[in-house]
Amino acid sequence: MCQILLIDDMQPVRHAIAATLRKAGHEVVEAEDGQKGLDIASSRTFDLVITDIMMPATDGTDVVFALKSAPAGPKVVAMSGGGPAFLRRKHFIFLLRRPTQF
């Protein structure tokens, strides 16, 4: 079982992913934006952080760089409904496509 922080501003997407992860036996903490996710991450230890990239205010790029700059930070998976060109501009090399309809 992993301790997972899931950050996504779209509630239906966040809840669907969280439900799937919980069904697989993982403990999931949800945050509805990047700043709240960073606040939660600073107060707990997580094995994995899954974050959306395109969010208002503190976006997923900021989250990724903040978490990866910390010593012994968690593994991070970034996801986006945006296309590969968007992620290349943000210096990501792998695209995990986020489902857009549930």
Side-chain angles (χ1 to χ4, degrees):
M1 175 172 94
C2 290
Q3 306 289 314
I4 300 172
L5 173 59
L6 175 60
I7 308 168
D8 197 312
D9 61 316
M10 294 182 66
Q11 184 182 30
V13 172
R14 190 176 68 246
H15 287 328
I17 294 170
T20 300
L21 293 168
R22 287 183 181 113
K23 188 174 181 180
H26 302 293
E27 181 180 331
V28 181
V29 175
E30 298 177 48
E32 62 268 15
D33 64 49
Q35 187 55 57
K36 288 181 181 157
L38 288 173
D39 292 344
I40 293 168
S42 70
S43 66
R44 288 188 56 178
T45 301
F46 291 94
D47 301 303
L48 177 66
V49 174
I50 302 172
T51 184
D52 184 20
I53 293 295
M54 296 171 55
M55 295 184 288
T58 304
D59 74 5
T61 303
D62 297 330
V63 170
V64 170
F65 289 127
L67 292 173
K68 296 313 283 180
S69 68
K75 294 179 180 168
V76 179
V77 172
M79 61 182 176
S80 178
F86 169 81
L87 293 180
R88 279 194 296 275
R89 285 194 309 274
K90 295 288 190 176
H91 306 288
F92 291 97
I93 58 171
F94 180 76
L95 171 66
L96 176 61
R97 284 203 160 282
R98 183 177 82 177
T100 54
Q101 294 182 349
F102 290 92

